[in-house]
């Protein structure tokens, strides 16, 4: 495993903002400070682990497509206000850490798709060498992610874009690299989360929850904490894999039950 603690400066996170699929708050309009007739939309980005030192992505825009108006075949794409543009290292977004991309009010109603638009400045760092990532589809039209959900006025909806780095970075035949983003999008209520801490904490461990239908993974942070976001309800096997150089054994927790809109705390998992 190339990623060691010296390559990462991750923020410690225990449970903040458990992002899953379909969150709707229970607050009313006044508590949310949302204008009448609007819904609040938040989009964040995080990373499923990858075996690189750094993977930088150049976020240029976040757009939405709503329901087409009467007489129109298809709605136009609209850029959201207050998008946090810039270059982000996906491999800093693990251990439960996420990056806010946009928080905006939009008219309540049907939200069809979200589009993430990337610029040209995408880079993978391998053993200290920075290699440009070609991203033709993302630069030209953006990455389209289906939402297909009715947003109610006065409510808050939060979506997480989870990059699968290993699947997203593709090696070409001429030893080049292409970024073909593979993203799992989730939101907060029809899924849950799994959190805990791994001991010892002087190295990183890979934590993976898996069943026949789903695999969700994350690295521990510098304090050993982890959070697996957007876990669909069901029964999972959770596997903790330490760095190979430690000589410690893989630890497995079986029959972990995850419910909608709930967090499962595995507390401290001790490796031997």
């Amino acid at each position: 495993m190339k990623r060691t603690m010296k390559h990462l400066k991750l923020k410690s996170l225990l449970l903040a903002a458990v992002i899953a699929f379909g969150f709707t708050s229970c607050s009313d309009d006044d508590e949310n400070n949302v204008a009448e007739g609007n819904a609040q939309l938040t989009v964040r980005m995080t990373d499923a682990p990858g075996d690189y030192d750094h993977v930088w992505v150049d976020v240029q825009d976040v757009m939405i497509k709503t329901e087409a108006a009467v007489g129109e075949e298809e709605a136009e794409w609209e850029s959201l206000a207050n998008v946090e543009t810039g270059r982000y290292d996906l491999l800093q977004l693990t251990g439960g850490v996420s990056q806010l991309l946009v928080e905006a009010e939009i008219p309540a109603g049907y939200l069809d798709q979200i589009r993430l638009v990337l610029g040209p400045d995408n880079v993978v760092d391998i053993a200290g060498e920075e290699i440009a990532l070609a991203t033709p589809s993302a630069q030209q039209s953006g990455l389209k992610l289906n939402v297909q959900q009715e947003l109610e006025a006065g409510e808050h909806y939060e979506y997480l874009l989870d990059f699968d780095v290993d699947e997203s970075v593709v090696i070409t035949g001429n030893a080049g690299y292409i970024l073909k983003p593979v993203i799992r999008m989730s939101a907060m209520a029809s899924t849950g989360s799994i959190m805990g801490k791994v001991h010892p904490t002087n190295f990183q461990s890979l934590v993976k929850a898996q069943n026949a239908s789903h695999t969700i993974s994350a690295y521990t942070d510098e304090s050993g904490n982890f959070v697996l976001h957007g876990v669909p309800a069901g029964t999972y096997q959770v596997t903790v894999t330490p760095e190979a150089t430690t000589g410690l054994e893989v630890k497995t927790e079986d029959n972990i039950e995850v419910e909608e809109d709930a967090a499962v705390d595995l507390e401290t998992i001790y490796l031997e």
Side-chain angles (χ1 to χ4, degrees):
M1 185 179 297
K2 298 179 182 177
R3 298 178 59 200
T4 62
M5 291 301 293
K6 68 180 180 180
H7 291 133
L8 298 169
K9 298 177 182 177
L10 302 177
K11 302 175 184 176
S12 178
L13 181 72
L14 290 177
L15 183 59
V18 181
I19 313 296
F21 194 48
F23 171 61
T24 303
S25 75
C26 297
S27 303
D28 60 24
D29 295 8
D30 293 336
E31 290 174 336
N32 271 337
N33 296 317
V34 178
E36 184 176 355
N38 285 352
Q40 186 172 357
L41 176 67
T42 299
V43 180
R44 293 181 177 272
M45 180 172 64
T46 192
D47 159 46
D51 196 16
Y52 302 98
D53 293 337
H54 304 278
V55 176
W56 296 90
V57 293
D58 179 14
V59 176
Q60 293 292 308
D61 201 2
V62 178
M63 309 177 76
I64 61 170
K65 179 185 284 189
T66 56
E67 190 172 24
V70 176
E72 295 182 359
E73 291 186 4
E74 189 174 3
E76 297 291 332
W77 284 98
E78 301 177 38
S79 294
L80 293 172
N82 307 316
V83 176
E84 299 283 345
T85 60
R87 293 178 75 232
Y88 298 104
D89 182 5
L90 293 176
L91 299 188
Q92 296 289 325
L93 305 178
T94 190
V97 176
S98 62
Q99 171 63 46
L100 176 66
L101 294 182
V102 64
E103 190 166 53
E105 289 187 30
I106 63 173
Y110 184 75
L111 178 58
D112 186 17
Q113 293 178 309
I114 291 175
R115 173 185 279 174
L116 178 65
V117 180
L118 301 182
D121 196 9
N122 304 289
V123 173
V124 60
D125 184 327
I126 302 175
E129 180 183 1
E130 291 193 351
I131 303 171
L133 287 168
T135 53
S137 61
Q139 290 169 226
Q140 292 170 11
S141 62
L143 308 165
K144 300 175 184 178
L145 304 164
N146 289 325
V147 180
Q148 298 174 342
Q149 183 175 358
E150 191 75 25
L151 307 189
E152 297 181 10
E155 303 294 350
H156 181 194
Y157 299 84
E158 191 162 7
Y159 297 91
L160 185 73
L161 310 184
D162 190 354
F163 270 79
D164 187 327
V165 170
D166 274 341
E167 294 292 331
S168 298
V169 178
V170 179
I171 303 174
T172 65
N174 58 358
Y177 289 82
I178 296 176
L179 181 63
K180 292 186 175 179
V182 175
I183 300 176
R184 184 178 65 93
M185 186 174 72
S186 52
M188 211 176 198
S190 58
T191 58
S193 65
I194 301 173
M195 61 178 292
K197 184 172 183 176
V198 177
H199 186 84
T201 62
N202 59 330
F203 53 86
Q204 278 195 301
S205 297
L206 175 63
V207 183
K208 182 181 295 185
Q210 190 168 20
N211 62 17
S213 303
H214 305 284
T215 299
I216 300 95
S217 58
Y219 279 109
T220 55
D221 67 11
E222 71 276 9
S223 299
N225 300 309
F226 68 88
V227 182
L228 302 178
H229 294 297
V231 183
T235 303
Y236 290 83
Q237 180 184 75
V238 175
T239 303
V240 181
T241 304
E243 291 185 0
T245 56
T246 66
L248 297 175
E249 296 182 357
V250 174
K251 182 80 170 185
T252 300
E253 301 277 349
D254 293 318
N255 300 317
I256 303 302
E257 295 286 344
V258 177
E259 298 179 356
E260 293 184 0
D261 198 20
V264 177
D265 189 352
L266 299 182
E267 301 182 348
T268 302
I269 299 172
Y270 293 92
L271 301 179
E272 300 176 351

